[in-house]
Coordinates of all heavy atoms in Angstrom, one line a residue:
M1 N -38.1 2.4 1.5 CA -37.3 2.2 0.3 C -36.1 3.1 0.4 O -36.1 4.2 0.9 CB -38.2 2.7 -0.9 CG -37.5 2.6 -2.2 SD -38.8 2.7 -3.5 CE -37.8 2.2 -4.9
S2 N -34.9 2.6 -0.1 CA -33.7 3.3 0.0 C -33.6 4.4 -1.1 O -34.2 4.3 -2.2 CB -32.5 2.4 -0.1 OG -32.4 1.9 -1.5
D3 N -32.9 5.4 -0.7 CA -32.7 6.6 -1.6 C -31.2 6.6 -2.1 O -30.3 6.8 -1.3 CB -33.0 7.9 -0.8 CG -32.7 9.1 -1.6 OD1 -32.3 9.0 -2.8 OD2 -32.9 10.2 -1.1
P4 N -31.0 6.2 -3.3 CA -29.6 6.1 -3.8 C -28.8 7.4 -3.8 O -27.6 7.4 -3.9 CB -29.7 5.6 -5.3 CG -31.1 5.9 -5.7 CD -31.9 6.0 -4.4
T5 N -29.5 8.6 -3.6 CA -28.8 9.8 -3.5 C -28.4 10.2 -2.1 O -27.6 11.1 -1.9 CB -29.6 11.0 -4.1 OG1 -30.8 11.1 -3.3 CG2 -30.0 10.7 -5.6
D6 N -28.9 9.4 -1.1 CA -28.6 9.6 0.3 C -27.3 8.9 0.6 O -27.3 7.7 0.6 CB -29.7 9.2 1.2 CG -29.4 9.3 2.6 OD1 -28.4 9.9 3.0 OD2 -30.3 8.9 3.4
P7 N -26.2 9.6 0.9 CA -24.9 8.9 1.2 C -25.0 8.0 2.4 O -24.3 7.0 2.4 CB -23.9 10.0 1.5 CG -24.7 11.3 1.4 CD -26.1 11.0 1.0
G8 N -25.9 8.2 3.3 CA -26.1 7.3 4.4 C -26.6 6.0 4.0 O -26.4 5.0 4.7
D9 N -27.4 5.9 2.9 CA -27.9 4.6 2.4 C -26.8 3.8 1.8 O -27.0 2.6 1.7 CB -29.0 4.9 1.4 CG -30.3 5.2 2.0 OD1 -30.4 5.2 3.3 OD2 -31.3 5.5 1.3
R10 N -25.7 4.4 1.4 CA -24.7 3.6 0.7 C -23.6 3.2 1.7 O -22.7 2.5 1.3 CB -24.1 4.5 -0.4 CG -25.1 4.8 -1.5 CD -24.6 5.7 -2.6 NE -23.2 5.8 -2.7 CZ -22.5 7.0 -2.7 NH1 -23.2 8.2 -2.5 NH2 -21.2 7.1 -2.8
R11 N -23.6 3.7 2.9 CA -22.5 3.5 3.8 C -22.6 2.1 4.5 O -23.7 1.7 4.9 CB -22.6 4.5 4.9 CG -21.4 4.8 5.7 CD -21.5 5.9 6.6 NE -22.2 7.1 6.0 CZ -22.8 8.0 6.7 NH1 -23.0 8.0 8.0 NH2 -23.4 9.0 6.0
L12 N -21.5 1.4 4.5 CA -21.4 0.1 5.2 C -20.3 0.2 6.3 O -19.5 1.2 6.2 CB -21.0 -1.0 4.2 CG -21.9 -1.2 3.0 CD1 -21.2 -2.1 2.0 CD2 -23.3 -1.7 3.4
D13 N -20.2 -0.7 7.2 CA -19.1 -0.7 8.1 C -17.8 -1.3 7.5 O -17.9 -1.9 6.4 CB -19.4 -1.3 9.4 CG -19.6 -2.8 9.4 OD1 -18.8 -3.5 8.7 OD2 -20.5 -3.4 10.0
G14 N -16.7 -1.1 8.1 CA -15.4 -1.6 7.5 C -15.3 -3.0 7.2 O -14.5 -3.4 6.4
N15 N -16.1 -3.9 7.8 CA -16.1 -5.3 7.6 C -16.5 -5.6 6.1 O -16.0 -6.6 5.5 CB -17.1 -6.0 8.5 CG -16.6 -6.0 9.9 OD1 -15.4 -6.3 10.2 ND2 -17.5 -5.7 10.8
A16 N -17.2 -4.7 5.5 CA -17.6 -4.9 4.1 C -16.4 -4.8 3.1 O -16.4 -5.3 2.0 CB -18.6 -3.9 3.7
A17 N -15.3 -4.2 3.6 CA -14.1 -4.1 2.8 C -13.1 -5.2 3.0 O -12.0 -5.3 2.4 CB -13.4 -2.8 3.0
A18 N -13.4 -6.1 4.0 CA -12.4 -7.1 4.4 C -11.9 -8.0 3.2 O -10.8 -8.3 3.1 CB -13.0 -8.0 5.5
G19 N -12.8 -8.4 2.4 CA -12.5 -9.3 1.2 C -11.5 -8.7 0.3 O -10.4 -9.2 -0.1
V20 N -11.8 -7.5 -0.1 CA -10.9 -6.7 -1.1 C -9.6 -6.4 -0.4 O -8.6 -6.5 -1.0 CB -11.6 -5.5 -1.6 CG1 -10.7 -4.6 -2.4 CG2 -12.9 -5.9 -2.5
L21 N -9.7 -6.0 0.8 CA -8.4 -5.6 1.6 C -7.5 -6.9 1.7 O -6.3 -6.8 1.6 CB -8.7 -5.0 2.9 CG -9.2 -3.6 2.9 CD1 -9.7 -3.2 4.3 CD2 -8.1 -2.6 2.4
T22 N -8.1 -8.0 1.9 CA -7.3 -9.2 2.0 C -6.6 -9.5 0.7 O -5.4 -9.9 0.6 CB -8.2 -10.4 2.4 OG1 -8.7 -10.2 3.7 CG2 -7.4 -11.7 2.5
E23 N -7.4 -9.3 -0.4 CA -6.8 -9.6 -1.7 C -5.6 -8.6 -2.0 O -4.5 -8.9 -2.5 CB -7.8 -9.4 -2.8 CG -8.8 -10.5 -2.9 CD -9.8 -10.3 -4.1 OE1 -9.4 -9.7 -5.1 OE2 -10.9 -10.8 -3.9
V24 N -5.9 -7.3 -1.7 CA -4.9 -6.3 -1.9 C -3.6 -6.5 -1.0 O -2.5 -6.4 -1.5 CB -5.4 -4.9 -1.6 CG1 -4.4 -3.8 -1.6 CG2 -6.5 -4.5 -2.6
M25 N -3.8 -6.9 0.2 CA -2.7 -7.1 1.1 C -1.9 -8.4 0.9 O -0.9 -8.6 1.4 CB -3.1 -7.0 2.5 CG -3.6 -5.6 2.9 SD -4.1 -5.4 4.6 CE -4.4 -3.6 4.7
T26 N -2.4 -9.3 0.0 CA -1.7 -10.5 -0.3 C -1.1 -10.5 -1.7 O -0.7 -11.5 -2.2 CB -2.6 -11.7 -0.1 OG1 -3.7 -11.6 -0.9 CG2 -3.0 -11.9 1.3
M27 N -1.1 -9.3 -2.3 CA -0.5 -9.2 -3.7 C 1.0 -9.5 -3.6 O 1.6 -9.3 -2.5 CB -0.8 -7.8 -4.3 CG 0.0 -6.7 -3.7 SD -0.2 -5.1 -4.6 CE -1.8 -4.6 -4.4
D28 N 1.6 -9.9 -4.7 CA 3.0 -10.2 -4.7 C 3.7 -8.9 -4.6 O 3.7 -8.0 -5.5 CB 3.3 -10.9 -6.0 CG 4.8 -11.1 -6.2 OD1 5.6 -11.0 -5.2 OD2 5.3 -11.3 -7.3
P29 N 4.4 -8.7 -3.5 CA 5.0 -7.4 -3.2 C 6.2 -7.1 -4.2 O 6.5 -5.9 -4.5 CB 5.5 -7.4 -1.8 CG 5.6 -8.8 -1.4 CD 4.6 -9.6 -2.3
A30 N 6.9 -8.1 -4.7 CA 8.0 -7.9 -5.5 C 7.6 -7.3 -6.9 O 8.3 -6.5 -7.5 CB 8.8 -9.1 -5.7
S31 N 6.4 -7.7 -7.4 CA 6.0 -7.3 -8.7 C 5.0 -6.1 -8.6 O 4.7 -5.5 -9.7 CB 5.4 -8.4 -9.5 OG 4.3 -9.0 -8.9
A32 N 4.5 -5.8 -7.5 CA 3.5 -4.7 -7.3 C 4.2 -3.4 -7.7 O 5.4 -3.2 -7.4 CB 3.0 -4.6 -5.9
M33 N 3.5 -2.6 -8.5 CA 4.0 -1.3 -8.9 C 3.6 -0.2 -8.0 O 2.4 -0.1 -7.7 CB 3.5 -1.0 -10.4 CG 3.9 -2.0 -11.4 SD 5.7 -2.1 -11.7 CE 5.9 -0.5 -12.5
A34 N 4.5 0.6 -7.6 CA 4.3 1.7 -6.7 C 4.5 3.0 -7.4 O 5.5 3.2 -8.0 CB 5.2 1.6 -5.4
T35 N 3.6 3.9 -7.2 CA 3.7 5.3 -7.7 C 4.2 6.1 -6.5 O 3.5 6.2 -5.5 CB 2.4 5.8 -8.3 OG1 2.0 5.0 -9.3 CG2 2.6 7.2 -8.8
C36 N 5.3 6.7 -6.6 CA 5.9 7.5 -5.6 C 5.1 8.8 -5.3 O 4.8 9.5 -6.2 CB 7.4 7.9 -5.9 SG 8.2 8.9 -4.7
A37 N 4.8 9.0 -4.0 CA 4.1 10.2 -3.7 C 4.9 11.5 -3.7 O 4.4 12.6 -3.8 CB 3.5 10.1 -2.3
H38 N 6.2 11.3 -3.8 CA 7.2 12.5 -3.8 C 7.4 13.0 -5.2 O 7.4 14.2 -5.5 CB 8.5 12.1 -3.1 CG 8.3 11.6 -1.7 ND1 8.0 12.4 -0.7 CD2 8.3 10.3 -1.3 CE1 7.9 11.7 0.4 NE2 8.1 10.4 0.1
C39 N 7.7 12.0 -6.1 CA 8.2 12.4 -7.5 C 7.2 11.9 -8.6 O 7.4 12.3 -9.8 CB 9.6 12.0 -7.8 SG 9.8 10.2 -8.1
G40 N 6.3 11.0 -8.3 CA 5.4 10.5 -9.3 C 6.0 9.4 -10.1 O 5.4 8.8 -10.9
G41 N 7.2 9.0 -9.8 CA 7.9 7.9 -10.5 C 7.2 6.6 -10.2 O 6.6 6.4 -9.1
R42 N 7.2 5.7 -11.1 CA 6.5 4.4 -11.0 C 7.5 3.3 -11.2 O 8.2 3.2 -12.2 CB 5.4 4.3 -12.0 CG 4.4 3.2 -11.8 CD 3.2 3.5 -12.7 NE 2.2 2.4 -12.5 CZ 2.1 1.3 -13.2 NH1 3.0 1.1 -14.2 NH2 1.3 0.3 -12.9
A43 N 7.6 2.4 -10.2 CA 8.5 1.2 -10.3 C 8.0 0.1 -9.4 O 7.2 0.3 -8.5 CB 9.9 1.7 -9.7
A44 N 8.4 -1.1 -9.8 CA 8.1 -2.3 -9.0 C 8.7 -2.2 -7.6 O 9.8 -1.7 -7.5 CB 8.6 -3.6 -9.7
L45 N 8.0 -2.7 -6.6 CA 8.6 -2.6 -5.3 C 9.9 -3.3 -5.2 O 10.8 -2.9 -4.5 CB 7.6 -3.2 -4.2 CG 6.5 -2.2 -3.8 CD1 5.6 -2.9 -2.8 CD2 7.0 -0.9 -3.2
G46 N 10.0 -4.4 -6.0 CA 11.3 -5.2 -6.1 C 12.4 -4.3 -6.6 O 13.6 -4.7 -6.4
G47 N 12.1 -3.2 -7.3 CA 13.2 -2.4 -7.8 C 13.5 -1.2 -6.9 O 14.4 -0.3 -7.3
H48 N 12.9 -1.1 -5.8 CA 13.2 0.0 -4.8 C 14.4 -0.4 -4.0 O 14.9 -1.5 -4.0 CB 12.0 0.2 -3.9 CG 10.9 0.9 -4.5 ND1 10.2 0.5 -5.6 CD2 10.3 2.1 -4.2 CE1 9.2 1.3 -5.9 NE2 9.3 2.3 -5.1
L49 N 15.0 0.6 -3.4 CA 16.2 0.5 -2.5 C 15.7 0.1 -1.1 O 14.9 0.8 -0.6 CB 17.0 1.7 -2.5 CG 17.4 2.2 -3.9 CD1 18.0 3.6 -3.8 CD2 18.3 1.3 -4.6
V50 N 16.3 -0.9 -0.5 CA 15.9 -1.4 0.8 C 17.0 -1.1 1.8 O 18.1 -1.4 1.5 CB 15.5 -2.9 0.8 CG1 15.2 -3.3 2.3 CG2 14.3 -3.1 -0.1
Y51 N 16.6 -0.5 2.9 CA 17.6 -0.3 4.0 C 17.1 -1.1 5.2 O 16.0 -0.9 5.7 CB 17.6 1.2 4.4 CG 18.2 2.1 3.3 CD1 17.4 2.5 2.2 CD2 19.6 2.4 3.3 CE1 18.0 3.2 1.2 CE2 20.1 3.1 2.3 CZ 19.3 3.5 1.2 OH 19.9 4.3 0.2
A52 N 17.8 -2.2 5.5 CA 17.4 -3.1 6.5 C 18.1 -2.9 7.8 O 17.9 -3.7 8.7 CB 17.6 -4.5 6.0
D53 N 18.8 -1.9 8.0 CA 19.5 -1.7 9.3 C 18.8 -0.7 10.2 O 19.4 -0.1 11.1 CB 21.0 -1.2 9.0 CG 21.0 0.1 8.2 OD1 19.9 0.5 7.7 OD2 22.1 0.7 8.1
A54 N 17.5 -0.5 10.0 CA 16.8 0.3 10.9 C 15.8 -0.6 11.7 O 15.7 -1.8 11.4 CB 16.0 1.3 10.1
P55 N 15.1 0.0 12.7 CA 14.1 -0.9 13.4 C 13.0 -1.5 12.5 O 12.5 -2.5 12.7 CB 13.4 0.1 14.4 CG 14.5 1.2 14.6 CD 15.2 1.3 13.3
A56 N 12.8 -0.8 11.3 CA 11.9 -1.3 10.3 C 12.6 -1.4 9.0 O 13.6 -0.7 8.8 CB 10.6 -0.5 10.2
L57 N 12.1 -2.2 8.0 CA 12.7 -2.1 6.7 C 12.2 -0.8 6.1 O 11.0 -0.4 6.2 CB 12.1 -3.2 5.8 CG 12.6 -4.6 6.2 CD1 12.0 -5.7 5.2 CD2 14.1 -4.7 6.1
V58 N 13.1 -0.1 5.4 CA 12.8 1.2 4.8 C 13.0 1.0 3.3 O 14.1 0.6 2.9 CB 13.7 2.3 5.3 CG1 13.4 3.6 4.6 CG2 13.4 2.5 6.8
L59 N 12.0 1.3 2.5 CA 12.1 1.2 1.0 C 12.1 2.7 0.5 O 11.2 3.5 0.9 CB 10.9 0.5 0.4 CG 11.1 -1.0 0.3 CD1 11.0 -1.7 1.7 CD2 10.1 -1.6 -0.6
R60 N 13.1 2.9 -0.3 CA 13.2 4.3 -0.9 C 13.0 4.2 -2.4 O 13.4 3.2 -3.1 CB 14.6 4.9 -0.6 CG 14.8 5.2 0.8 CD 16.1 5.9 1.1 NE 16.2 6.3 2.5 CZ 15.9 7.5 2.9 NH1 15.5 8.5 2.0 NH2 16.0 7.8 4.2
C61 N 12.5 5.2 -3.0 CA 12.2 5.3 -4.4 C 13.5 5.3 -5.2 O 14.4 6.0 -4.9 CB 11.5 6.7 -4.7 SG 11.2 7.1 -6.4
P62 N 13.5 4.5 -6.3 CA 14.7 4.4 -7.1 C 15.0 5.7 -7.9 O 16.1 5.9 -8.4 CB 14.5 3.2 -8.0 CG 13.0 3.1 -8.1 CD 12.5 3.5 -6.8
S63 N 14.0 6.5 -8.0 CA 14.1 7.8 -8.8 C 14.6 8.9 -7.9 O 15.6 9.6 -8.3 CB 12.8 8.1 -9.5 OG 12.5 7.1 -10.4
C64 N 13.9 9.2 -6.8 CA 14.2 10.4 -6.0 C 14.8 10.1 -4.7 O 15.2 11.0 -3.9 CB 12.9 11.2 -5.8 SG 11.7 10.5 -4.7
L65 N 14.9 8.8 -4.3 CA 15.5 8.3 -3.1 C 14.7 8.7 -1.8 O 15.2 8.5 -0.7 CB 17.0 8.8 -3.0 CG 17.9 8.4 -4.1 CD1 19.3 8.9 -3.9 CD2 17.9 6.9 -4.3
Q66 N 13.5 9.2 -2.0 CA 12.7 9.5 -0.8 C 12.1 8.2 -0.2 O 11.9 7.2 -1.0 CB 11.6 10.4 -1.1 CG 12.0 11.8 -1.5 CD 12.6 12.6 -0.3 OE1 12.1 12.6 0.8 NE2 13.8 13.2 -0.5
V67 N 11.8 8.2 1.1 CA 11.2 7.0 1.7 C 9.7 6.8 1.2 O 8.9 7.8 1.2 CB 11.1 7.2 3.2 CG1 10.4 6.0 3.9 CG2 12.5 7.2 3.8
V68 N 9.5 5.6 0.7 CA 8.1 5.4 0.2 C 7.3 4.5 1.2 O 6.1 4.7 1.3 CB 8.1 4.7 -1.2 CG1 8.6 5.7 -2.3 CG2 8.8 3.4 -1.3
L69 N 8.0 3.6 1.9 CA 7.3 2.9 2.9 C 8.2 2.3 3.9 O 9.4 2.2 3.7 CB 6.4 1.8 2.3 CG 7.0 0.5 1.7 CD1 7.4 -0.5 2.7 CD2 6.0 -0.1 0.7
R70 N 7.7 2.0 5.1 CA 8.4 1.3 6.2 C 7.5 0.2 6.6 O 6.3 0.3 6.7 CB 8.6 2.3 7.3 CG 9.4 3.5 7.0 CD 9.5 4.4 8.3 NE 10.2 5.6 8.0 CZ 9.6 6.8 7.7 NH1 8.3 6.8 7.6 NH2 10.3 7.8 7.5
C71 N 8.2 -1.0 6.9 CA 7.4 -2.1 7.4 C 8.2 -2.9 8.4 O 9.4 -2.9 8.4 CB 6.9 -3.0 6.2 SG 8.2 -3.7 5.3
A72 N 7.5 -3.5 9.3 CA 8.1 -4.3 10.3 C 7.2 -5.5 10.7 O 6.0 -5.3 10.7 CB 8.5 -3.5 11.5
S73 N 7.8 -6.6 11.1 CA 7.1 -7.7 11.7 C 7.9 -8.3 12.8 O 9.0 -8.8 12.5 CB 6.8 -8.7 10.6 OG 6.1 -9.8 11.2
D74 N 7.5 -8.1 14.0 CA 8.3 -8.5 15.2 C 7.3 -8.9 16.3 O 6.1 -8.9 16.1 CB 9.3 -7.5 15.5 CG 8.7 -6.1 15.8 OD1 7.5 -6.1 16.2 OD2 9.4 -5.1 15.6
E75 N 7.9 -9.0 17.5 CA 7.1 -9.4 18.7 C 6.0 -8.3 19.0 O 5.0 -8.6 19.6 CB 8.0 -9.6 19.9 CG 8.7 -8.4 20.4 CD 10.0 -8.0 19.7 OE1 10.4 -8.8 18.8 OE2 10.5 -6.9 19.9
G76 N 6.2 -7.1 18.4 CA 5.2 -6.1 18.7 C 4.0 -6.1 17.7 O 3.0 -5.4 17.8
G77 N 4.1 -7.0 16.7 CA 3.1 -7.1 15.7 C 3.6 -6.7 14.3 O 4.8 -6.6 14.1
R78 N 2.7 -6.5 13.4 CA 3.0 -6.1 12.0 C 2.7 -4.6 11.8 O 1.6 -4.2 12.3 CB 2.3 -6.9 11.0 CG 2.7 -8.3 11.0 CD 1.9 -9.2 10.0 NE 1.7 -10.5 10.6 CZ 0.6 -11.2 10.6 NH1 -0.5 -10.7 10.0 NH2 0.5 -12.3 11.2
R79 N 3.6 -3.9 11.2 CA 3.3 -2.5 10.9 C 3.7 -2.1 9.5 O 4.7 -2.6 9.0 CB 4.1 -1.6 11.9 CG 3.7 -1.8 13.4 CD 4.6 -1.1 14.4 NE 6.0 -1.5 14.3 CZ 6.5 -2.6 14.8 NH1 5.8 -3.5 15.3 NH2 7.8 -2.9 14.7
L80 N 2.9 -1.3 8.9 CA 3.1 -0.8 7.5 C 2.7 0.6 7.4 O 1.6 1.0 7.7 CB 2.3 -1.7 6.5 CG 2.3 -1.3 5.1 CD1 3.7 -1.4 4.5 CD2 1.3 -2.1 4.3
E81 N 3.7 1.4 7.0 CA 3.5 2.9 6.8 C 3.8 3.1 5.4 O 4.9 2.8 4.9 CB 4.3 3.7 7.8 CG 4.2 5.2 7.7 CD 5.2 5.7 6.6 OE1 6.4 5.5 6.7 OE2 4.7 6.4 5.7
M82 N 2.8 3.7 4.6 CA 3.0 3.9 3.2 C 2.7 5.3 2.7 O 2.2 5.5 1.6 CB 2.1 2.9 2.4 CG 2.3 1.5 2.7 SD 1.1 0.4 1.8 CE 1.4 0.9 0.1
T83 N 3.1 6.3 3.5 CA 2.7 7.6 3.2 C 3.5 8.1 1.9 O 3.1 9.0 1.3 CB 3.0 8.6 4.3 OG1 4.4 8.5 4.7 CG2 2.1 8.4 5.5
G84 N 4.6 7.4 1.5 CA 5.3 7.8 0.3 C 4.8 7.0 -0.9 O 5.4 7.2 -2.0
V85 N 3.7 6.2 -0.8 CA 3.2 5.5 -2.0 C 1.8 6.2 -2.3 O 0.9 6.2 -1.5 CB 2.9 4.0 -1.7 CG1 2.3 3.4 -2.8 CG2 4.3 3.4 -1.3
L86 N 1.8 6.8 -3.5 CA 0.5 7.4 -3.9 C -0.5 6.3 -4.4 O -1.6 6.4 -4.1 CB 0.8 8.3 -5.1 CG -0.3 9.2 -5.6 CD1 -0.7 10.2 -4.5 CD2 0.2 10.0 -6.8
L87 N 0.1 5.3 -5.1 CA -0.8 4.2 -5.6 C 0.0 2.9 -5.7 O 1.2 3.0 -6.1 CB -1.3 4.6 -7.0 CG -2.2 3.6 -7.6 CD1 -3.5 3.4 -6.9 CD2 -2.5 4.0 -9.1
L88 N -0.6 1.8 -5.3 CA 0.1 0.5 -5.4 C -0.8 -0.3 -6.2 O -2.0 -0.5 -5.9 CB 0.3 -0.1 -4.0 CG 1.1 -1.4 -3.9 CD1 2.5 -1.2 -4.3 CD2 1.0 -1.9 -2.5
T89 N -0.3 -0.9 -7.3 CA -1.1 -1.7 -8.2 C -0.5 -3.0 -8.5 O 0.8 -3.2 -8.4 CB -1.4 -1.0 -9.6 OG1 -0.1 -0.8 -10.2 CG2 -2.0 0.4 -9.4
S90 N -1.3 -4.0 -8.9 CA -0.8 -5.3 -9.3 C -1.7 -5.8 -10.4 O -2.9 -5.5 -10.4 CB -0.6 -6.3 -8.2 OG -1.9 -6.7 -7.8
P91 N -1.2 -6.6 -11.3 CA -2.1 -7.2 -12.3 C -3.1 -8.2 -11.7 O -2.8 -8.7 -10.6 CB -1.1 -7.9 -13.3 CG 0.1 -8.1 -12.5 CD 0.2 -7.1 -11.5
P92 N -4.2 -8.4 -12.4 CA -5.2 -9.4 -11.8 C -4.5 -10.8 -11.7 O -3.6 -11.1 -12.5 CB -6.3 -9.4 -12.8 CG -5.8 -8.7 -14.0 CD -4.6 -7.9 -13.6
D93 N -5.0 -11.6 -10.8 CA -4.5 -13.0 -10.6 C -5.0 -13.7 -11.9 O -6.1 -13.5 -12.4 CB -5.1 -13.6 -9.4 CG -4.5 -13.0 -8.1 OD1 -3.4 -12.4 -8.2 OD2 -5.2 -13.0 -7.1
R94 N -4.2 -14.7 -12.3 CA -4.6 -15.5 -13.5 C -5.1 -16.8 -13.0 O -4.8 -17.4 -12.0 CB -3.4 -15.7 -14.4 CG -2.7 -14.4 -14.8 CD -3.1 -14.1 -16.2 NE -2.5 -12.8 -16.5 CZ -3.2 -11.9 -17.2 NH1 -4.4 -12.1 -17.6 NH2 -2.6 -10.7 -17.4
Ligands
ZN101 ZN1 10.2 9.2 -6.0

């Protein structure tokens, strides 16, 4: 019988998160709201400042101008670095 207080009984491998991660990663990026890890400001990603003249796209916070994320898709694959995003949210699908 499983013991609900044993953290080992609640642990699953990463495949158990695949469905939710797929939903999260396919959210509409323009309307998704990002909370800046630097200043706590909250804005739609579509309202961030984009610098496209670097090896990756760089998005900066419209409030504090710090880098919130970098992303690239090229022959090397897809990369996403979001250390400047404290929280990314989107409304539920209708
Ligand atoms: Zn900020």
